[in-house]
Amino acid sequence: VATFEPKGGCESHDGRSPINTSRIFYGIMFDAGSTGSRIHIYKFIQKDPVELPVLDNEIYHAVKPGLSSYKDKPEEGGNTIRQLLKIAKKAIPKEAWSRTPVVLKATAGLRMLPEEKANALLKEVQEVLDDSPFFVREDGVSIMNGANEGVLAWVTVNFLTGHLYSNTKKTVGILDLGGGSTQITFLPKSKTAPETYISSFDLFNHTYQVYTHSYLGNGLYAARLAILGAKDTDDHRVFTSSCLPKKFREDVTIFGTTYKISGYAGYKLCYYEVMKVIKGIVHQPYEVKGNSIFYAFSYYFDRAVETGLIDDRGGVLEVRDFKKRAKEVCNKMTKYRAISPFLCMDMTYITCLLKEGFGFKDSTVLQLAKKVNNVETSWALGATFDYYRNLNIH
């Protein structure tokens, strides 16, 4: 029997609490990202009162655009969350609703908004969750710290690959490329990194000290704006880039703002443009040299699939594979333009981020994965564990 009883401060607005007297319990985690909102509905089974719960399955659904695109229409943003909650009502038995916690954590999209606009969105979402039949804590809606995003994604992937249960110190690193920010997290073999890049936390009766950093403004869509020189501006001039197809001229909307964009193709010129956005900004961790395998997901995975490097089941690549395909995409843009006119820019950015940013070798092995054991590779599962860690498990 698993019973989750909140410690002090865990009461919901209406006094409900996630007390569970059955062997099966659920958790709902919203990932409010810069380019979309995703709901993760987890079903856990407690096989033994003293053992860790087992993740039975996950139901996942996503909608676009992200909450930050509703910065001037918070009610419409709230409605996207309301629609996703309908999926949770269908997935979870009615008798379990009042004891099933629902949490929403926003990431880089809201971190980049002016505070008053971000707060208006959070307030609207809080009201939507409060109106739901699920258990909502007072701190159930928040903007997540970037470092936590990396740490919790690391927890998710290492839990799903079995490394958190093993007695060995062998773990895998993670590379997460979102729309607004990018994260790198791994267990370092030596302690040469600056203190601000090391995070210590306790989980599953172990203390971990990981290297982790989140680069706000270096996610894929934020990088597009920086490469175009359109960052921090709302004017209507035409922004140009050698990372776009020749004679390309279109209005493109990024994070809710529309820009006029034109292009004049070429990989070498594109790489030079991208370098200016990365060089000197991204810290090169010495410890990644010779480190264990890294799992790469989010836009790393999406672009690898779109350019045919892997299929949608994922796969193993080396950094040089991204570089080779980036060159091909940039030099044969007519072939790839139908997929996305930004494909050359995105693939060059990924290549440059891995090589010039993080300092990976061409031969560094990356495991590209959208799911591990049918569960999404994201920080959401790690955040759910972190939520329950603050509750008593009997």
Side-chain angles (χ1 to χ4, degrees), residues 267-281:
Y267 173 76
K268 283 187 178 178
L269 285 172
C270 179
Y271 201 85
Y272 178 73
E273 278 184 35
V274 172
M275 275 277 282
K276 289 189 280 188
V277 174
I278 291 171
K279 206 68 175 169
I281 295 169

Side-chain angles (χ1 to χ4, degrees), residues 31 51 187 306 331 337 394:
D31 168 0
E51 293 288 325
L187 199 63
E306 286 169 1
N331 296 331
R337 181 173 172 170
H394 302 292

Side-chain angles (χ1 to χ4, degrees), residues 94-207:
K94 197 170 185 177
E95 61 272 17
W97 287 356
S98 64
R99 61 176 181 262
T100 296
V102 58
V103 177
L104 181 140
K105 292 184 182 291
T107 57
L110 262 67
R111 289 201 291 267
M112 292 189 293
L113 283 184
E115 191 176 353
E116 67 275 10
K117 289 188 183 287
N119 286 339
L121 281 164
L122 294 177
K123 184 171 179 285
E124 188 67 36
V125 169
Q126 183 74 58
E127 289 175 8
V128 169
L129 296 192
D130 287 344
D131 288 342
S132 81
F134 301 109
F135 171 78
V136 188
R137 246 169 40 174
E138 287 190 10
D139 60 352
V141 175
S142 63
I143 297 176
M144 185 161 59
N145 171 293
N148 286 351
E149 198 174 339
V151 166
L152 295 172
W154 183 89
V155 169
T156 296
V157 173
N158 280 281
F159 172 82
L160 293 174
T161 54
H163 291 100
L164 288 185
Y165 285 112
S166 69
N167 293 321
T168 69
K169 291 274 185 176
K170 192 177 180 184
T171 57
V172 295
I174 67 102
L175 296 166
D176 185 0
L177 181 59
S181 67
T182 186
Q183 286 73 235
I184 177 172
T185 307
F186 62 93
L187 199 63
K189 291 176 180 174
S190 60
K191 296 181 180 177
T192 56
E195 279 185 34
T196 52
Y197 288 76
I198 299 295
S199 179
S200 182
F201 62 96
D202 297 312
L203 191 68
F204 301 154
N205 299 318
H206 280 78
T207 298

